[in-house]
């Protein structure tokens, strides 16, 4: 006899699969939102970070949990490609030409664009300046990451190395990726004074990488970012996520 708990779990899995499949067909239900990336010297907008935004109070509200479910169901690659092309279409429709920051999910590394999205992806490759953000979960297989980064650069994309807590991982990633930009997350308590941070920034500067500060939510965080040598930043002080300006 099947237990009620197992029945509930199976029902939830079926519902989640149906929901993710629906989003793959219509990713517009997940936003996107765009948060400005600004040059700290003069507040000029130099980029936009694209994130999924589920409608509050619905099953889509917790987009991170939904992404985790897509990974567990083996659907994340299709969802990521659909969302990626939605972002490209949205940016092109708005006439925005600043750099678009995306976070490709590791399961999509070296994956093929679905044929139905080829036109959107091709146009985005030709017409947009794109920066791919690599996070700690992308460092598990450095060989795969290196090949994926080479492919992205072949598309004309730049590489952004997000803040990585483990110093050894961070230094290996800088050496491997030679990123155009590195991020320092000032929302992490004590991050700007961590002894390992200076070694990370020194390694990044040796490659010519620009420093971007995240969590620039207050004037004091802006001062902190500038003291670290950050030239660009993102945070609530610099702009909240929302629709692109038309």
């Amino acid at each position: 006899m099947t237990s009620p708990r197992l029945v509930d779990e199976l029902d939830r899995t079926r519902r989640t699969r149906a929901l993710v499949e629906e989003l793959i067909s219509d990713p517009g239900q997940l936003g996107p939102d765009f948060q400005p990336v600004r040059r700290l010297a003069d507040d000029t907008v130099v980029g936009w970070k694209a994130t999924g935004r589920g409608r509050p109070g619905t099953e889509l509200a917790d987009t991170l949990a939904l992404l985790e479910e897509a990974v567990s169901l083996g659907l994340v690659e299709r969802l990521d490609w659909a969302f990626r092309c939605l972002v490209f279409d949205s940016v092109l429709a708005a006439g925005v030409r600043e750099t678009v920051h995306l976070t490709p999910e590791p399961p999509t590394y070296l994956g093929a664009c679905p044929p139905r999205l080829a036109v959107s992806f091709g146009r985005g490759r030709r017409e947009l300046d794109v920066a791919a953000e690599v996070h700690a979960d992308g460092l598990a297989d450095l060989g795969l990451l290196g090949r994926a980064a080479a492919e992205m650069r072949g598309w004309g994309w730049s590489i952004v190395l997000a803040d990585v807590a483990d110093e050894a991982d961070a230094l290996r990633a800088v050496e491997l990726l030679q990123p155009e930009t590195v991020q320092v997350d000032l929302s992490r308590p004590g991050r700007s004074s961590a002894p390992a941070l200076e070694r990370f920034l020194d390694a990044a500067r040796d490659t010519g990488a620009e420093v971007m500060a995240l969590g620039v939510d207050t004037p004091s965080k802006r001062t902190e970012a500038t003291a670290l040598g950050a030239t660009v930043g993102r945070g609530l002080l610099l702009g909240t996520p929302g629709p692109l300006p038309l």
Side-chain angles (χ1 to χ4, degrees):
M1 182 175 178
T2 305
S3 70
R5 180 177 178 181
L6 179 58
V7 170
D8 288 345
E9 182 67 19
L10 290 172
D11 285 343
R12 185 185 67 81
T13 300
R14 279 194 291 267
R15 173 56 191 155
T16 302
R17 179 180 291 276
L19 181 59
V20 174
E21 291 280 8
E22 182 181 335
L23 290 174
I24 289 169
S25 299
D26 181 18
Q29 295 181 71
L30 276 180
D33 270 346
F34 296 87
Q35 187 173 26
V37 177
R38 295 185 184 272
R39 191 162 55 219
L40 295 176
D42 57 12
D43 280 347
T44 298
V45 174
V46 295
W48 299 91
K49 175 60 190 290
T51 55
R53 167 186 42 81
R55 189 177 301 113
T58 72
E59 293 175 284
L60 305 179
D62 190 344
T63 54
L64 290 179
L66 191 63
L67 187 63
E68 289 177 3
E69 291 286 356
V71 171
S72 69
L73 294 170
L75 298 173
V76 68
E77 183 174 357
R78 291 169 57 204
L79 181 59
D80 194 20
W81 275 106
F83 182 74
R84 189 181 304 181
C85 290
L86 170 70
V87 169
F88 289 171
D89 291 345
S90 301
V91 171
L92 289 167
V96 169
R97 288 297 179 266
E98 292 88 10
T99 302
V100 182
H101 289 244
L102 293 171
T103 304
E105 295 301 318
T108 71
Y109 289 171
L110 301 180
C113 176
R116 69 181 183 86
L117 300 173
V119 172
S120 290
F121 181 61
R123 188 180 175 207
R125 280 182 58 185
R126 291 191 305 272
E127 300 185 29
L128 296 177
D129 182 23
V130 179
E133 297 191 358
V134 175
H135 291 254
D137 58 350
L139 305 183
D141 184 337
L142 289 180
L144 173 64
L145 176 58
R147 295 192 300 275
E151 179 179 64
M152 293 175 197
R153 283 207 170 95
W155 296 338
W157 295 11
S158 59
I159 303 297
V160 179
L161 177 61
D163 207 354
V164 178
D166 185 274
E167 181 188 5
D169 281 348
L171 294 177
R172 279 195 296 269
V174 169
E175 182 178 1
L176 171 70
L177 297 175
Q178 301 284 298
E180 283 77 12
T181 304
V182 295
Q183 292 179 354
V184 177
D185 189 353
L186 298 181
S187 68
R188 290 169 53 190
R191 182 55 177 151
S192 63
S193 59
L197 179 60
E198 192 58 37
R199 291 189 288 273
F200 171 62
L201 292 179
D202 283 344
R205 292 186 187 106
D206 286 344
T207 71
E210 182 175 41
V211 178
M212 177 164 72
L214 302 187
V216 184
D217 298 334
T218 64
S220 64
K221 289 295 184 182
R222 182 181 187 133
T223 300
E224 197 174 328
T226 303
L228 286 174
T231 55
V232 293
R234 179 160 56 88
L236 298 181
L237 182 68
L238 305 176
T240 57
L244 286 168
L246 297 175

